[in-house]
Amino acid sequence: MTEFWLISAPGEKTCQQTWDKLMMATTRSNNLSVNNKFNIPDLKVGTLDVLVGLSDELAKLDAFVESVVKKVAQYMADVLEDSRDKVQENLLANGVDLVTYITRFQWDMAKYPIKQSLKNISEIISKQASQIDCDLKARASAYNNLKGNLQNLERKNAGSLLTRSLADIVKKEDFVLDSEYLITMLVVVPKTNYADWQKTYETLAEMVVPRSTKLLFEDNDSGLFSVTLFRKAIDDFRHQARENKFMVRDFQYNEVEMKADKEEMTRLSTDKKKQFGPLVRWLKVNFSEAFIAWIHIKALRVFVESVLRYGLPVNFQAMLLQPHKKNMKKLREVLYELYKHLDSSAAIIDASMDIPGLNLSQQEYYPYVYYKVDCNLLDFKKNLFLIYNIY
């Protein structure tokens, strides 16, 4: 995805002239960016005090809603697991890709009526984002618990023969069952020790049934052998086996328990499949809602800041710039030359500089209104399972 600069400059004789001047400076002569008008409707201005207070509130709301958008996007990637290459095609806003939505932005009059005050509109967005965040926590928690339980069972059925479940390996006929005197034990033998096992297993204890061993299963490193002996020799056999690097598994054949384990695995797998479709649909719908809300906050911030900076009557042109990556520095210089007359104090402020007493590291200040919109919502370098820790 990509980065956009959402800026505004005061209208000259007409807002169209402001637009034409930007286009002349950034595209027609030097191709620094791709530009689009960003249409903000005539919102209710309110009082100066309200605007000043709202400016701070919207900054916090912007950060919160952005975090919700990113959480939903990241969780979508987590849920899709092996199909993460399809994440981007599911991250749509109003049915279109994010770049298309932003570059063709139109205010949603039905969701955010412009007859309402700016404060009310921001509260509508805040409640909407809070509800999505709350619902996401609940749904993620339920799905993660189900997924975690299934993974625990799957781990039991994989891995080393020393620890894995044996339910899908052994059969009833492998055991001497219901005998008062005899018992079948299972022993894990390293592949390199197969010959030693065959030579010595009958002498590891008294009362081992001759020629009773059988290889039931093997993985890359070891084999699982059965051996039958008298119950009174169990402790001695276990000790001598360990001395010879043969590990006896604590296992009793119980058909009921093994059947229950298999049924639980099937049930969890079925439940996960049932929940997967509705969860992905919910994530798609609510990603769209959250993203749309986020861009409307950006529009509100541009409107409020433009009125505060440029004054009344409302007369400014909002513009969306998509900088060419290699030309970002040059574009910033051109914009400064174009708008430096708006605020002379901006000439000495460089957000990249560390000036004692000025906390500029958290925000960038320019003579024109500026907000960054970064659509790169997924960071696959991070461990996406961190989403578990969020909730």
Side-chain angles (χ1 to χ4, degrees):
M1 294 301 291
T2 190
E3 177 183 312
F4 292 90
W5 295 356
L6 181 54
I7 72 169
S8 83
E12 300 188 19
K13 289 183 179 178
T14 65
C15 288
Q16 183 62 37
Q17 283 183 309
T18 304
W19 169 253
D20 290 340
K21 188 177 282 190
L22 175 81
M23 290 296 288
M24 183 65 72
T26 61
T27 64
R28 287 170 194 158
S29 58
N30 46 23
N31 195 29
L32 297 176
S33 60
V34 177
N35 305 332
N36 290 272
K37 287 184 179 179
F38 191 82
N39 297 309
I40 301 176
D42 293 328
L43 301 168
K44 284 191 170 184
V45 175
T47 65
L48 181 62
D49 285 348
V50 168
L51 289 177
V52 171
L54 200 55
S55 179
D56 290 337
E57 289 174 21
L58 286 173
K60 293 173 186 172
L61 185 56
D62 187 346
F64 169 64
V65 180
E66 181 181 3
S67 75
V68 173
V69 170
K70 287 183 174 179
K71 279 183 196 175
V72 178
Q74 293 279 42
Y75 196 59
M76 173 87 78
D78 194 27
V79 169
L80 289 177
E81 297 180 33
D82 296 335
S83 302
R84 283 181 184 163
D85 56 326
K86 296 181 180 177
V87 174
Q88 214 64 62
E89 67 192 56
N90 285 294
L91 298 180
L92 305 175
N94 250 4
V96 298
D97 65 85
L98 306 187
V99 170
T100 300
Y101 178 79
I102 295 173
T103 54
R104 299 179 187 173
F105 175 75
Q106 293 293 324
W107 187 274
D108 192 324
M109 301 289 183
K111 284 181 182 167
Y112 314 114
I114 61 173
K115 290 182 179 179
Q116 299 256 13
S117 68
L118 297 175
K119 178 82 171 169
N120 285 354
I121 294 172
S122 70
E123 286 174 354
I124 291 170
I125 294 175
S126 177
K127 286 176 184 175
Q128 182 187 13
S130 296
Q131 188 62 54
I132 292 172
D133 190 47
C134 186
D135 289 350
L136 177 62
K137 287 177 183 177
R139 289 170 185 269
S141 177
Y143 190 76
N144 289 347
N145 285 337
L146 176 61
K147 186 174 166 182
N149 291 336
L150 181 59
Q151 285 174 337
N152 287 337
L153 277 181
E154 287 172 344
R155 274 195 292 271
K156 280 176 66 178
N157 289 309
S160 166
L161 280 171
L162 292 170
T163 56
R164 66 170 290 174
S165 169
L166 302 178
D168 60 339
I169 292 176
V170 299
K171 303 180 182 67
K172 187 175 182 178
E173 54 266 31
D174 296 326
F175 295 83
V176 173
L177 299 172
D178 304 320
S179 170
E180 185 179 348
Y181 301 106
L182 295 174
I183 185 171
T184 299
M185 302 190 73
L186 299 179
V187 184
V188 178
V189 179
K191 282 187 172 179
T192 53
N193 293 16
Y194 277 10
D196 288 346
W197 168 255
Q198 294 291 351
K199 284 180 195 173
T200 61
Y201 81 89
E202 292 177 359
T203 59
L204 291 176
E206 294 182 356
M207 302 184 182
V208 176
V209 177
R211 296 186 298 280
S212 63
T213 193
K214 180 181 175 184
L215 177 62
L216 304 180
F217 182 87
E218 59 182 351
D219 60 17
N220 293 335
D221 304 310
S222 308
L224 183 72
F225 287 83
S226 63
V227 61
T228 301
L229 58 148
F230 279 77
R231 290 182 182 273
K232 63 171 66 176
I234 288 176
D235 290 342
D236 192 27
F237 180 84
R238 194 189 298 274
H239 173 72
Q240 291 300 324
R242 189 165 53 246
E243 291 289 314
N244 285 273
K245 298 181 180 177
F246 311 137
M247 300 305 298
V248 177
R249 282 286 307 259
D250 285 321
F251 181 83
Q252 286 187 331
Y253 185 86
N254 186 316
E255 211 160 15
V256 175
E257 284 184 9
M258 291 196 297
K259 184 181 177 184
D261 280 351
K262 287 180 181 177
E263 287 175 349
E264 177 69 359
M265 173 85 80
T266 302
R267 184 187 68 78
L268 289 172
S269 182
T270 303
D271 285 353
K272 186 185 173 193
K273 287 175 184 174
K274 280 182 182 176
Q275 289 191 26
F276 177 80
L279 179 58
V280 170
R281 284 192 292 275
W282 185 90
L283 289 167
K284 287 172 69 173
V285 168
N286 285 275
F287 174 83
S288 176
E289 293 293 308
F291 188 83
I292 288 168
W294 184 41
I295 301 305
H296 278 74
I297 291 171
K298 295 292 187 187
L300 283 178
R301 293 190 74 187
V302 170
F303 182 86
V304 169
E305 194 66 23
S306 296
V307 173
L308 287 173
R309 288 228 206 161
Y310 310 141
L312 294 172
V314 176
N315 180 29
F316 67 89
Q317 178 64 56
M319 298 163 285
L320 189 73
L321 284 61
Q322 185 177 348
H324 297 307
K325 195 167 186 179
K326 62 182 180 180
N327 292 330
M328 281 187 172
K329 186 177 180 183
K330 178 64 177 173
L331 177 60
R332 192 64 81 186
E333 291 169 356
V334 167
L335 291 177
Y336 175 73
E337 287 301 320
L338 203 56
Y339 300 123
K340 64 183 179 182
H341 64 281
L342 298 175
D343 187 351
S344 58
S345 64
I348 62 165
I349 296 179
D350 179 352
S352 64
M353 293 172 62
D354 184 14
I355 304 173
L358 285 178
N359 182 22
L360 297 171
S361 60
Q362 301 303 312
Q363 61 184 20
E364 298 165 281
Y365 183 80
Y366 302 101
Y368 47 92
V369 172
Y370 162 81
Y371 296 107
K372 184 169 78 170
V373 184
D374 190 350
C375 291
N376 187 24
L377 303 171
L378 294 169
D379 184 357
F380 290 111
K381 292 177 184 175
K382 293 180 180 177
N383 183 352
L384 291 178
F385 289 101
L386 287 174
I387 195 82
Y388 286 96
N389 298 326
I390 296 173
Y391 302 117

